[in-house]
Amino acid sequence: DIQMTQSPSSLSASVGDRVTITCRASQSISSYLNWFQQRPGKAPKLLIYAVSGLQSGVPSRFSGSGSGTDFTLTISSLQPEDFATYYCQQSYSTPKITFGQGTRLEIK
Amino acid sequence: EVQLVESGGGLVQPGRSLRLSCAASGFTFDEYAMHWVRQAPGKGLEWVSGINWNSGTIGYADSVKGRFTVSRDNAKNSLYLQMNSLRAEDTALYYCAKDWHIYGYGGTFDNWGQGTLVTVSS
């Protein structure tokens, strides 16, 4: 099974900061990598699909990159509403799908 | 507007069964794969199961394989998860999620419900 490992597990940052979250797959997953945001008490929300595609309605300060086994989610200038938990997810090994363990982004 | 409404959660004793439902609206249900994703209290997301548009492709996480069964009724725009031999570690909020690949099983979840809570405890 493909394992997804995110780093860091938690992160403190300030409004206006540039933040990068990393996701590593245990084997190559090509471009089958999505990113989700989950705010407290809410359902997850698709942010980025296929490594770098920006889901409709998602602000352009969010971006994704990578290929193979190493991927990153970047938020160029943190806004108050961005403080949440972020998950990567691979869809290479369908029908089985796996998520990373999550990265909690907190206000410094 | 896509709406996914889960139901059927509750408190159940270990070893017993429970059936979750997800009522879908706002899109052509029989064109899309659907999935169940769960989240234990204070923990991360875990994909549980998925089913394609015509039930021809079905997948399960290893943690539930052999105990859970996913199904769908396209005439009723509904997704189901039959959960048998429940364990304490199955305690979680169970989300229904829509796949965005039409007539496929892509694994990209573009819409989610609000979840139904399952608590397994004696």
Side-chain angles (χ1 to χ4, degrees):
Chain A
D1 290 0
I2 298 176
Q3 309 301 320
M4 306 299 292
T5 304
Q6 290 181 232
S7 60
S9 295
S10 63
L11 175 61
S12 293
S14 301
V15 173
D17 283 354
R18 179 183 180 91
V19 165
T20 297
I21 297 169
T22 297
C23 178
R24 174 164 288 176
S26 59
Q27 66 183 74
S28 177
I29 58 170
S30 185
S31 297
Y32 293 87
L33 191 283
N34 304 314
W35 290 96
F36 294 86
Q37 177 194 65
Q38 187 179 32
R39 295 186 176 117
K42 299 295 185 182
K45 169 187 171 183
L46 178 64
L47 287 181
I48 302 280
Y49 60 89
V51 177
S52 58
L54 197 64
Q55 173 67 341
S56 176
V58 174
S60 59
R61 61 181 179 272
F62 290 92
S63 64
S65 64
S67 65
T69 60
D70 295 312
F71 304 90
T72 59
L73 172 69
T74 299
I75 310 172
S76 60
S77 178
L78 276 173
Q79 298 302 301
E81 60 269 28
D82 299 339
F83 291 94
T85 301
Y86 293 85
Y87 296 92
C88 64
Q89 173 239 334
Q90 68 82 16
S91 57
Y92 178 82
S93 64
T94 54
K96 275 188 177 181
I97 291 161
T98 47
F99 287 92
Q101 82 279 14
T103 295
R104 185 176 178 183
L105 179 53
E106 300 174 319
I107 300 174
K108 184 183 286 185
Chain B
E1 179 193 3
V2 172
Q3 284 202 328
L4 300 169
V5 180
E6 303 91 339
S7 61
L11 174 63
V12 61
Q13 293 179 329
R16 303 298 290 266
S17 299
L18 207 58
R19 188 195 197 205
L20 305 184
S21 299
C22 171
S25 61
F27 65 102
T28 306
F29 182 74
D30 62 7
E31 291 181 346
Y32 294 91
M34 298 293 295
H35 302 264
W36 290 99
V37 177
R38 69 183 180 184
Q39 187 168 36
K43 302 297 184 183
L45 301 173
E46 180 189 16
W47 173 81
V48 173
S49 182
I51 183 169
N52 80 327
W53 66 280
N54 67 353
S55 306
T57 298
I58 288 176
Y60 297 99
D62 290 345
S63 57
V64 306
K65 197 167 187 177
R67 300 188 298 123
F68 289 12
T69 302
V70 65
S71 62
R72 64 190 295 160
D73 185 335
N74 288 341
K76 295 183 178 179
N77 289 350
S78 293
L79 174 72
Y80 305 102
L81 186 67
Q82 177 67 43
M83 305 186 296
N84 298 333
S85 303
L86 282 161
R87 305 166 180 168
E89 53 265 36
D90 296 318
T91 294
L93 185 64
Y94 284 74
Y95 292 104
C96 164
K98 171 185 167 292
D99 198 307
W100 80 344
H101 291 265
I102 191 167
Y103 292 127
Y105 186 112
T108 298
F109 311 143
D110 62 350
N111 286 275
W112 297 64
Q114 289 304 305
T116 186
L117 182 62
V118 173
T119 303
V120 184
S121 174
S122 54

